[in-house]
């Protein structure tokens, strides 16, 4: 068994990393670094609750998952790698491309497994989209829209809403949406970007829309905190038809409520939330959503550590997403920016 520890027990540690590690074959949830002792004890009475420093120094811990405020990702990951640990970093992988590249180099030097937690590759709706596209039922895709809408007009007193390194909705939801777009359609030729603050008094960006250019195809990734009626999570439009899907994968909410991954009903969404294919001839087909399963991420981590297979999400994938985020911030409002060769090849 690979003993694993989680640093941080906020939403990410509580609703993602801890339950997924606990349920993953080959992994043992051995320790959690947090001040929320009672919350951990409620669900994991046998897991050691400790400090970050003690967890990283523990020689029995082989894998460390980091789920802390974004500006701490780099120093904590660096310390864990230097201590000889394999590392998973929650999104965003780092707050700068330079820091991400440095972590990748350190992991390679020490021959350790380093991965970004882009769990949304295992959302049920995303897995379903991949099957729909592979079937070619939509024909040639001309427009794809990946959106993540929320309605949060009040400014919350949390680090994600403060003007500090790594905050803002582009760093929060952008890594997932950008990664999903690239997984579906590849690296774009160029990007038009729009990143801004809409809410009065907000300190960080709360809206973005990036348009990826692939010849005549356009792929839009967008998120907002000011949409009361969410737009489709996915809308894929092709020469033969469209696929439209609302709602979010249920796994996050299920794990927040204490449901164990792998139990009956895990990852299965309500029938009413299924997407539909609308063909040009007027036919409408409701498409069952594949069950999502984030356990595949940590199964991939276990295989990478024990068998030497590639990690489930490579540092290179995370670095590419961060480069796009940096380009978006730098070039927003200045028209289209090309994705140059070094960005693709580095």
């Amino acid at each position: 068994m690979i003993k694993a520890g989680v640093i941080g027990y906020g939403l990410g540690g509580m609703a993602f990393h801890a339950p997924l590690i606990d349920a993953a074959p080959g992994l043992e949830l051995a320790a959690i670094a947090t001040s929320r002792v009672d919350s951990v004890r409620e669900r994991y009475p046998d897991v050691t609750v400790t400090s970050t420093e003690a967890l990283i120094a523990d020689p029995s811990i082989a894998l460390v998952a980091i789920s802390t405020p974004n500006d701490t990702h780099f120093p904590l990951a660096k310390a864990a790698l230097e201590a000889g640990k394999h590392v998973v970093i929650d999104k965003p992988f780092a707050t700068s491309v330079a820091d991400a590249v440095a972590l990748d180099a350190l992991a390679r030097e020490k021959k350790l497994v380093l991965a970004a937690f882009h769990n949304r590759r295992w959302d049920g709706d995303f897995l379903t989209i991949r099957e729909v596209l592979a079937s070619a039922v939509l024909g040639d895709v001309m427009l794809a829209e990946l959106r993540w809408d929320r309605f949060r007009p009040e400014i919350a007193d949390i680090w994600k809403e403060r003007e500090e390194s790594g905050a803002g909705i582009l760093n929060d939801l952008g890594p997932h949406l950008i990664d999903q777009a690239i997984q579906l359609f590849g690296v774009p030729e160029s990007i038009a970007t729009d990143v801004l603050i809409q809410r009065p008094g907000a300190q960080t960006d709360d809206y973005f829309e990036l348009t990826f250019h692939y010849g005549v195809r356009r792929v839009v990734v967008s998120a907002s905190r000011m949409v009361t009626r969410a737009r489709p999570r996915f809308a894929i439009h092709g020469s033969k038809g469209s696929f439209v899907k609302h709602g979010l994968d249920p796994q996050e909410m299920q794990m927040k409520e204490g449901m164990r991954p792998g139990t009956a009903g895990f990852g299965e969404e309500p029938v009413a939330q299924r997407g539909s294919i609308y063909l040009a001839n007027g036919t409408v087909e409701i498409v069952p959503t594949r069950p999502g399963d984030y356990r595949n991420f940590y199964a991939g981590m276990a295989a990478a550590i024990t068998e030497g297979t590639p990690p489930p999400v490579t540092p290179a994938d995370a670095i590419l997403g961060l480069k796009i985020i940096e380009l978006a911030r730098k070039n927003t409002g200045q028209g289209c920016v090309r994705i140059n060769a070094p960005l693709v090849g580095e």
Side-chain angles (χ1 to χ4, degrees):
M1 296 291 286
I2 300 165
K3 289 194 173 185
V6 176
I7 300 178
Y9 200 67
L11 174 62
M14 181 271 292
F16 292 100
H17 298 282
L20 292 172
I21 291 171
D22 188 50
L27 298 181
E28 176 189 343
L29 179 62
I32 297 174
T34 181
S35 61
R36 300 173 177 174
V37 179
D38 292 341
S39 295
V40 174
R41 291 274 181 262
E42 184 179 342
R43 291 190 181 182
Y44 308 105
D46 298 326
V47 170
T48 298
V49 182
T50 185
S51 68
T52 296
E53 295 76 15
L55 190 151
I56 291 175
D58 187 341
S60 71
I61 300 293
L63 170 65
V64 173
I66 296 170
S67 185
T68 54
N70 295 348
D71 60 356
T72 67
H73 288 183
F74 173 74
L76 290 176
K78 182 173 183 289
L81 290 167
E82 288 175 339
K85 315 298 185 186
H86 307 288
V87 175
V88 170
I89 309 176
D90 216 335
K91 54 79 192 169
F93 189 68
T95 58
S96 73
V97 171
D99 283 351
V101 170
L103 290 176
D104 185 29
L106 180 59
R108 291 174 184 272
E109 174 191 332
K110 292 189 169 291
K111 296 181 172 55
L112 294 166
V113 179
L114 174 64
F117 187 62
H118 286 181
N119 58 300
R120 298 291 171 177
R121 292 187 185 184
W122 292 274
D123 276 355
D125 49 16
F126 182 72
L127 297 174
T128 304
I129 288 283
R130 299 195 81 151
E131 291 185 350
V132 169
L133 291 176
S135 75
V137 66
L138 304 181
D140 295 328
V141 174
M142 295 290 105
L143 172 64
E145 297 172 287
L146 290 68
R147 302 187 183 275
W148 201 324
D149 294 328
R150 294 168 170 170
F151 185 64
R152 297 180 180 171
E154 294 81 16
I155 312 301
D157 186 21
I158 56 175
W159 67 264
K160 288 185 179 183
E161 299 270 29
R162 300 188 191 115
E163 190 176 6
E164 55 190 59
S165 180
I169 197 171
L170 181 58
N171 278 349
D172 185 27
L173 300 181
H176 286 316
L177 293 167
I178 292 167
D179 184 70
Q180 287 184 328
I182 291 174
Q183 288 295 302
L184 293 175
F185 301 107
V187 179
E189 300 158 2
S190 58
I191 304 176
T193 68
D194 190 19
V195 184
L196 66 146
I197 296 173
Q198 292 187 321
R199 296 172 299 170
Q203 300 177 38
T204 61
D205 52 273
D206 50 21
Y207 169 87
F208 72 84
E209 182 158 304
L210 314 181
T211 303
F212 292 6
H213 294 199
Y214 303 83
V216 297
R217 175 186 295 159
R218 296 292 181 266
V219 176
V220 178
V221 297
S222 179
S224 172
R225 297 194 190 277
M226 289 297 293
V227 178
T228 56
R229 185 174 178 84
R231 296 166 292 181
R233 175 68 178 83
F234 291 95
I236 315 292
H237 307 286
S239 58
K240 296 180 181 178
S242 297
F243 176 83
V244 178
K245 173 77 174 61
H246 287 79
L248 292 175
D249 181 278
Q251 293 175 85
E252 175 179 345
M253 186 57 64
Q254 289 173 335
M255 289 188 289
K256 282 176 67 175
E257 294 173 351
M259 186 175 187
R260 182 177 171 81
T263 56
F266 180 75
E268 297 181 7
E269 70 173 18
V271 172
Q273 200 170 296
R274 290 176 175 176
S276 296
I277 293 174
Y278 301 85
L279 296 178
N281 63 10
T283 301
V284 178
E285 176 188 350
I286 297 175
V287 181
T289 304
R290 283 194 55 184
D293 198 344
Y294 298 155
R295 292 178 302 166
N296 288 324
F297 175 88
Y298 274 107
M301 281 301 298
I305 292 168
T306 59
E307 302 170 19
T309 58
V313 180
T314 66
D317 290 344
I319 290 167
L320 175 58
L322 288 172
K323 287 181 175 179
I324 290 173
I325 287 173
E326 287 195 358
L327 279 175
R329 293 196 183 283
K330 180 180 178 181
N331 292 279
T332 193
Q334 300 183 37
C336 202
V337 57
R338 291 197 61 80
I339 302 297
N340 57 33
L343 184 139
V344 175
E346 285 180 354

